[in-house]
Amino acid sequence: MNKRYKKQRKSLLIFFLIIPLIASWATSKYMFNKISNRKTIKAVKIDLKDETKKQIDGFEIYSIQVGSVNDHKEVENIVNNLQSSSIPSYVHKKEGAYKVYTYVSLEESNVRKYLENIRSSYSDAFISKVEVGSIDLEYTKKYEYMNVVCKNLNLMIENMKQESKFWNEYKSGISNYNDYIEIINNKSKIVDSLTNNSKKIKGKDAEHFEKKLSEFCEWYKVNIESVNENLGNGNLKSCEKLFLSSLFKYNEFINKI
């Protein structure tokens, strides 16, 4: 009986020592993944002997959140009030609430200078920071066209940075109309290239990635068409609102793939 008792005590001791260690390891691994805000996307089935991995950069989106409401009618009132003051806006529905954003930049300082003025009408307004995670896109040499997809996604990020810079400089009288035209033309070329290469993606393993990339490209084409329509009407101010929505749409795309 004593030997059996000792064995039971030993087993229980080992159990209570090991479980906390496993829990600690699991927690630390989870926290690392959460903090790093980076994930690996296997765009196609991977053969480890023939693996290619490309990084798509991450960045931060800064915007002013003016409200978070449940009533759609109230959202419309906020958007209309902002529009009447020529202030861009974007509505994002999350967890049953409508979050209304205005002004956007990839640099916090460029948004912060509008905060005091916004708070004169919306006292609870604050700077919202959205972290767009970087991703590692994995594929094999068989899918060489994925090199172009990765390159274009990074070019898209660079283009968004240029447009973010443009809106800040334009309001300061530094950039001009032609600078914006060039940014939009380059964006259109990037989307066209992404669209063409997304059509080359075949195979069951790549279905999800191809679908989300195609949906993103289709949305962006419509966005660019709206920009060009506004430019044709000499309405550059409305284009800032389209830029705001495009940043949030890109983040949504990254989170879905």
Side-chain angles (χ1 to χ4, degrees), residues 190-214:
I190 294 168
V191 174
D192 285 343
S193 181
L194 277 171
T195 300
N196 292 333
N197 280 281
S198 69
K199 293 175 182 177
K200 298 177 183 178
I201 302 174
K202 305 295 181 183
K204 189 173 182 180
D205 296 304
E207 278 182 0
H208 179 74
F209 179 77
E210 186 277 330
K211 180 183 178 183
K212 295 306 173 186
L213 179 61
S214 295

Side-chain angles (χ1 to χ4, degrees), residues 50-193:
D50 190 27
E51 177 186 342
T52 299
K53 182 185 290 187
K54 297 282 186 179
Q55 180 178 332
I56 299 171
D57 299 330
F59 57 93
E60 289 83 38
I61 300 172
Y62 295 95
S63 186
I64 298 176
Q65 183 174 318
V66 299
S68 178
V69 296
N70 297 319
D71 183 15
H72 189 266
K73 191 69 178 178
E74 189 176 349
V75 173
E76 288 183 348
N77 290 335
I78 295 174
V79 170
N80 290 335
N81 287 336
L82 292 170
Q83 188 173 339
S84 65
S85 300
S86 298
I87 298 174
S89 63
Y90 175 73
V91 179
H92 177 60
K93 188 176 182 180
K94 185 177 181 182
E95 298 173 353
Y98 297 95
K99 299 182 185 297
V100 185
Y101 298 93
T102 184
Y103 295 115
V104 70
S105 178
L106 303 187
E107 298 289 337
E108 183 180 358
S109 58
N110 293 341
V111 170
R112 186 164 292 280
K113 60 188 177 185
Y114 299 109
L115 184 59
E116 186 176 345
N117 181 54
I118 291 295
R119 278 181 172 169
S120 64
S121 300
Y122 303 93
S123 58
D124 294 333
F126 64 93
I127 300 290
S128 169
K129 176 182 176 182
V130 177
E131 293 188 10
V132 183
S134 64
I135 62 174
D136 289 327
L137 200 62
E138 290 187 356
Y139 51 96
T140 64
K141 291 180 181 178
K142 179 181 177 182
Y143 302 88
E144 284 295 329
Y145 53 81
M146 291 296 293
N147 289 333
V148 182
V149 171
C150 295
K151 179 182 178 181
N152 281 323
L153 286 174
N154 276 322
L155 285 174
M156 175 69 77
I157 294 170
E158 185 58 35
N159 185 272
M160 289 188 287
K161 289 179 179 178
Q162 290 171 3
E163 186 168 358
S164 176
K165 182 180 179 182
F166 164 80
W167 285 113
N168 182 57
E169 292 182 345
Y170 177 74
K171 292 172 184 177
S172 302
I174 300 172
S175 293
N176 58 49
Y177 190 88
N178 291 329
D179 294 326
Y180 185 66
I181 296 293
E182 184 178 355
I183 290 170
I184 296 304
N185 286 340
N186 288 336
K187 183 180 292 186
S188 183
K189 291 176 183 176
I190 294 168
V191 174
D192 285 343
S193 181

